[in-house]
mmCIF file of all heavy atoms in Angstrom:
data_model
loop_
_atom_site.group_PDB
_atom_site.id
_atom_site.type_symbol
_atom_site.label_atom_id
_atom_site.label_comp_id
_atom_site.label_asym_id
_atom_site.label_seq_id
_atom_site.Cartn_x
_atom_site.Cartn_y
_atom_site.Cartn_z
ATOM 1 N N GLN O 724 3.971 113.319 111.379
ATOM 2 C CA GLN O 724 3.500 113.441 112.765
ATOM 3 C C GLN O 724 4.309 114.491 113.526
ATOM 4 O O GLN O 724 3.773 115.239 114.335
ATOM 5 C CB GLN O 724 3.617 112.067 113.456
ATOM 6 C CG GLN O 724 3.233 112.069 114.927
ATOM 7 C CD GLN O 724 3.675 110.776 115.628
ATOM 8 O OE1 GLN O 724 3.770 109.705 115.021
ATOM 9 N NE2 GLN O 724 3.954 110.888 116.923
ATOM 10 N N PHE O 725 5.610 114.562 113.231
ATOM 11 C CA PHE O 725 6.461 115.522 113.939
ATOM 12 C C PHE O 725 6.599 116.845 113.178
ATOM 13 O O PHE O 725 7.441 117.666 113.493
ATOM 14 C CB PHE O 725 7.840 114.902 114.217
ATOM 15 C CG PHE O 725 7.809 113.925 115.362
ATOM 16 C CD1 PHE O 725 7.743 112.565 115.133
ATOM 17 C CD2 PHE O 725 7.817 114.377 116.670
ATOM 18 C CE1 PHE O 725 7.695 111.650 116.183
ATOM 19 C CE2 PHE O 725 7.774 113.480 117.742
ATOM 20 C CZ PHE O 725 7.709 112.117 117.489
ATOM 21 N N GLY O 726 5.763 117.014 112.139
ATOM 22 C CA GLY O 726 5.712 118.313 111.449
ATOM 23 C C GLY O 726 6.845 118.547 110.467
ATOM 24 O O GLY O 726 7.130 119.694 110.111
ATOM 25 N N LEU O 727 7.489 117.481 109.994
ATOM 26 C CA LEU O 727 8.578 117.640 109.017
ATOM 27 C C LEU O 727 8.007 117.588 107.599
ATOM 28 O O LEU O 727 7.084 116.825 107.328
ATOM 29 C CB LEU O 727 9.614 116.522 109.182
ATOM 30 C CG LEU O 727 10.734 116.756 110.199
ATOM 31 C CD1 LEU O 727 10.178 116.942 111.607
ATOM 32 C CD2 LEU O 727 11.718 115.597 110.181
ATOM 33 N N LYS O 728 8.609 118.386 106.720
ATOM 34 C CA LYS O 728 8.144 118.428 105.318
ATOM 35 C C LYS O 728 8.632 117.199 104.540
ATOM 36 O O LYS O 728 9.752 116.723 104.767
ATOM 37 C CB LYS O 728 8.717 119.673 104.606
ATOM 38 C CG LYS O 728 7.848 120.917 104.756
ATOM 39 C CD LYS O 728 8.383 122.029 103.860
ATOM 40 C CE LYS O 728 9.797 122.407 104.239
ATOM 41 N NZ LYS O 728 10.551 123.254 103.387
ATOM 42 N N ILE O 729 7.788 116.781 103.600
ATOM 43 C CA ILE O 729 8.129 115.621 102.755
ATOM 44 C C ILE O 729 8.102 116.066 101.299
ATOM 45 O O ILE O 729 7.190 116.774 100.895
ATOM 46 C CB ILE O 729 7.040 114.527 102.880
ATOM 47 C CG1 ILE O 729 6.668 114.234 104.317
ATOM 48 C CG2 ILE O 729 7.408 113.273 102.102
ATOM 49 C CD1 ILE O 729 7.540 113.255 104.982
ATOM 50 N N ARG O 730 9.072 115.671 100.545
ATOM 51 C CA ARG O 730 9.006 115.812 99.068
ATOM 52 C C ARG O 730 8.288 114.564 98.559
ATOM 53 O O ARG O 730 8.697 113.442 98.921
ATOM 54 C CB ARG O 730 10.415 115.854 98.458
ATOM 55 C CG ARG O 730 11.191 117.044 98.897
ATOM 56 C CD ARG O 730 11.016 118.165 97.904
ATOM 57 N NE ARG O 730 11.540 119.397 98.466
ATOM 58 C CZ ARG O 730 11.550 120.553 97.850
ATOM 59 N NH1 ARG O 730 11.054 120.655 96.628
ATOM 60 N NH2 ARG O 730 12.027 121.626 98.422
ATOM 61 N N GLU O 731 7.279 114.769 97.745
ATOM 62 C CA GLU O 731 6.387 113.655 97.396
ATOM 63 C C GLU O 731 7.135 112.415 96.904
ATOM 64 O O GLU O 731 7.887 112.481 95.922
ATOM 65 C CB GLU O 731 5.402 114.110 96.322
ATOM 66 C CG GLU O 731 4.210 113.189 96.283
ATOM 67 C CD GLU O 731 3.393 113.366 95.022
ATOM 68 O OE1 GLU O 731 3.493 114.440 94.403
ATOM 69 O OE2 GLU O 731 2.689 112.405 94.670
ATOM 70 N N PRO O 732 6.952 111.282 97.582
ATOM 71 C CA PRO O 732 7.643 110.064 97.135
ATOM 72 C C PRO O 732 7.100 109.586 95.787
ATOM 73 O O PRO O 732 5.891 109.624 95.562
ATOM 74 C CB PRO O 732 7.317 109.039 98.231
ATOM 75 C CG PRO O 732 6.825 109.834 99.387
ATOM 76 C CD PRO O 732 6.182 111.062 98.816
ATOM 77 N N ARG O 733 8.006 109.175 94.910
ATOM 78 C CA ARG O 733 7.585 108.631 93.603
ATOM 79 C C ARG O 733 8.577 107.538 93.207
ATOM 80 O O ARG O 733 9.738 107.556 93.647
ATOM 81 C CB ARG O 733 7.486 109.742 92.546
ATOM 82 C CG ARG O 733 8.744 110.469 92.327
ATOM 83 C CD ARG O 733 8.581 111.743 91.523
ATOM 84 N NE ARG O 733 9.808 112.505 91.652
ATOM 85 C CZ ARG O 733 10.882 112.326 90.914
ATOM 86 N NH1 ARG O 733 10.884 111.443 89.953
ATOM 87 N NH2 ARG O 733 11.967 113.037 91.128
ATOM 88 N N PRO O 734 8.108 106.609 92.377
ATOM 89 C CA PRO O 734 8.993 105.493 92.020
ATOM 90 C C PRO O 734 10.197 105.961 91.208
ATOM 91 O O PRO O 734 10.053 106.820 90.333
ATOM 92 C CB PRO O 734 8.093 104.590 91.156
ATOM 93 C CG PRO O 734 6.694 105.091 91.329
ATOM 94 C CD PRO O 734 6.778 106.523 91.738
ATOM 95 N N GLY O 735 11.361 105.420 91.494
ATOM 96 C CA GLY O 735 12.581 105.716 90.741
ATOM 97 C C GLY O 735 13.238 104.418 90.316
ATOM 98 O O GLY O 735 12.929 103.346 90.855
ATOM 99 N N LEU O 736 14.155 104.495 89.358
ATOM 100 C CA LEU O 736 14.802 103.299 88.804
ATOM 101 C C LEU O 736 13.729 102.250 88.501
ATOM 102 O O LEU O 736 13.733 101.142 89.045
ATOM 103 C CB LEU O 736 15.870 102.745 89.764
ATOM 104 C CG LEU O 736 17.019 103.702 90.104
ATOM 105 C CD1 LEU O 736 18.013 103.046 91.052
ATOM 106 C CD2 LEU O 736 17.750 104.189 88.853
ATOM 107 N N VAL O 737 12.805 102.647 87.639
ATOM 108 C CA VAL O 737 11.603 101.842 87.422
ATOM 109 C C VAL O 737 11.340 101.721 85.915
ATOM 110 O O VAL O 737 11.571 102.686 85.168
ATOM 111 C CB VAL O 737 10.410 102.519 88.164
ATOM 112 C CG1 VAL O 737 10.080 103.902 87.615
ATOM 113 C CG2 VAL O 737 9.162 101.659 88.156
ATOM 114 N N PRO O 738 10.890 100.557 85.446
ATOM 115 C CA PRO O 738 10.534 100.456 84.023
ATOM 116 C C PRO O 738 9.407 101.420 83.672
ATOM 117 O O PRO O 738 8.545 101.710 84.509
ATOM 118 C CB PRO O 738 10.071 98.998 83.874
ATOM 119 C CG PRO O 738 10.674 98.276 85.029
ATOM 120 C CD PRO O 738 10.756 99.274 86.146
ATOM 121 N N LEU O 739 9.410 101.894 82.420
ATOM 122 C CA LEU O 739 8.373 102.819 81.967
ATOM 123 C C LEU O 739 7.345 102.052 81.126
ATOM 124 O O LEU O 739 7.701 101.110 80.403
ATOM 125 C CB LEU O 739 9.009 103.944 81.148
ATOM 126 C CG LEU O 739 9.990 104.827 81.939
ATOM 127 C CD1 LEU O 739 10.693 105.814 81.008
ATOM 128 C CD2 LEU O 739 9.281 105.585 83.060
ATOM 129 N N VAL O 740 6.091 102.463 81.256
ATOM 130 C CA VAL O 740 4.994 101.808 80.551
ATOM 131 C C VAL O 740 4.578 102.703 79.390
ATOM 132 O O VAL O 740 4.472 103.922 79.556
ATOM 133 C CB VAL O 740 3.805 101.615 81.529
ATOM 134 C CG1 VAL O 740 2.608 101.032 80.795
ATOM 135 C CG2 VAL O 740 4.203 100.722 82.683
ATOM 136 N N LEU O 741 4.347 102.107 78.216
ATOM 137 C CA LEU O 741 3.921 102.900 77.057
ATOM 138 C C LEU O 741 2.393 102.925 76.955
ATOM 139 O O LEU O 741 1.718 102.046 77.516
ATOM 140 C CB LEU O 741 4.521 102.306 75.779
ATOM 141 C CG LEU O 741 6.053 102.338 75.703
ATOM 142 C CD1 LEU O 741 6.534 101.703 74.395
ATOM 143 C CD2 LEU O 741 6.599 103.769 75.826
ATOM 144 N N ASP O 742 1.870 103.912 76.231
ATOM 145 C CA ASP O 742 0.414 103.944 76.047
ATOM 146 C C ASP O 742 0.020 102.849 75.047
ATOM 147 O O ASP O 742 0.878 102.214 74.412
ATOM 148 C CB ASP O 742 -0.067 105.344 75.611
ATOM 149 C CG ASP O 742 0.451 105.753 74.235
ATOM 150 O OD1 ASP O 742 0.808 104.872 73.433
ATOM 151 O OD2 ASP O 742 0.495 106.969 73.958
ATOM 152 N N ALA O 743 -1.304 102.636 74.904
ATOM 153 C CA ALA O 743 -1.785 101.493 74.119
ATOM 154 C C ALA O 743 -1.253 101.541 72.678
ATOM 155 O O ALA O 743 -0.852 100.508 72.120
ATOM 156 C CB ALA O 743 -3.307 101.480 74.137
ATOM 157 N N ASP O 744 -1.210 102.750 72.086
ATOM 158 C CA ASP O 744 -0.755 102.850 70.694
ATOM 159 C C ASP O 744 0.703 102.425 70.558
ATOM 160 O O ASP O 744 1.063 101.627 69.694
ATOM 161 C CB ASP O 744 -0.905 104.301 70.185
ATOM 162 C CG ASP O 744 -2.370 104.648 69.967
ATOM 163 O OD1 ASP O 744 -3.187 103.704 69.939
ATOM 164 O OD2 ASP O 744 -2.675 105.851 69.853
ATOM 165 N N ASP O 745 1.551 102.996 71.421
ATOM 166 C CA ASP O 745 2.980 102.648 71.337
ATOM 167 C C ASP O 745 3.220 101.185 71.709
ATOM 168 O O ASP O 745 4.119 100.541 71.161
ATOM 169 C CB ASP O 745 3.812 103.582 72.232
ATOM 170 C CG ASP O 745 4.055 104.926 71.550
ATOM 171 O OD1 ASP O 745 4.096 104.954 70.306
ATOM 172 O OD2 ASP O 745 4.197 105.945 72.258
ATOM 173 N N ARG O 746 2.403 100.679 72.643
ATOM 174 C CA ARG O 746 2.559 99.266 72.996
ATOM 175 C C ARG O 746 2.292 98.390 71.772
ATOM 176 O O ARG O 746 3.011 97.442 71.503
ATOM 177 C CB ARG O 746 1.584 98.896 74.120
ATOM 178 C CG ARG O 746 2.324 98.471 75.377
ATOM 179 C CD ARG O 746 1.375 98.057 76.444
ATOM 180 N NE ARG O 746 0.735 99.201 77.068
ATOM 181 C CZ ARG O 746 -0.335 99.133 77.847
ATOM 182 N NH1 ARG O 746 -0.904 97.974 78.094
ATOM 183 N NH2 ARG O 746 -0.823 100.208 78.385
ATOM 184 N N SER O 747 1.232 98.751 71.028
ATOM 185 C CA SER O 747 0.934 97.916 69.850
ATOM 186 C C SER O 747 2.024 98.090 68.787
ATOM 187 O O SER O 747 2.260 97.208 67.984
ATOM 188 C CB SER O 747 -0.451 98.242 69.307
ATOM 189 O OG SER O 747 -0.422 99.532 68.736
ATOM 190 N N ARG O 748 2.704 99.242 68.817
ATOM 191 C CA ARG O 748 3.764 99.446 67.816
ATOM 192 C C ARG O 748 5.038 98.660 68.154
ATOM 193 O O ARG O 748 5.708 98.151 67.276
ATOM 194 C CB ARG O 748 4.143 100.938 67.753
ATOM 195 C CG ARG O 748 3.075 101.792 67.104
ATOM 196 C CD ARG O 748 3.505 103.252 67.039
ATOM 197 N NE ARG O 748 2.400 104.051 66.566
ATOM 198 C CZ ARG O 748 1.795 105.022 67.249
ATOM 199 N NH1 ARG O 748 2.223 105.361 68.442
ATOM 200 N NH2 ARG O 748 0.784 105.669 66.738
ATOM 201 N N TYR O 749 5.390 98.636 69.460
ATOM 202 C CA TYR O 749 6.731 98.131 69.801
ATOM 203 C C TYR O 749 6.771 96.877 70.677
ATOM 204 O O TYR O 749 7.771 96.181 70.687
ATOM 205 C CB TYR O 749 7.528 99.237 70.530
ATOM 206 C CG TYR O 749 7.688 100.481 69.680
ATOM 207 C CD1 TYR O 749 6.948 101.629 69.939
ATOM 208 C CD2 TYR O 749 8.571 100.491 68.597
ATOM 209 C CE1 TYR O 749 7.078 102.767 69.146
ATOM 210 C CE2 TYR O 749 8.700 101.619 67.792
ATOM 211 C CZ TYR O 749 7.963 102.751 68.069
ATOM 212 O OH TYR O 749 8.084 103.852 67.279
#
Side-chain angles (χ1 to χ4, degrees):
Q724 177 193 331
F725 283 99
L727 273 61
K728 272 188 299 169
I729 312 275
R730 296 267 168 179
E731 199 195 338
R733 59 193 167 84
L736 300 180
V737 63
L739 297 173
V740 176
L741 297 179
D742 65 22
D744 288 345
D745 280 331
R746 243 182 284 166
S747 70
R748 288 181 187 118
Y749 300 105

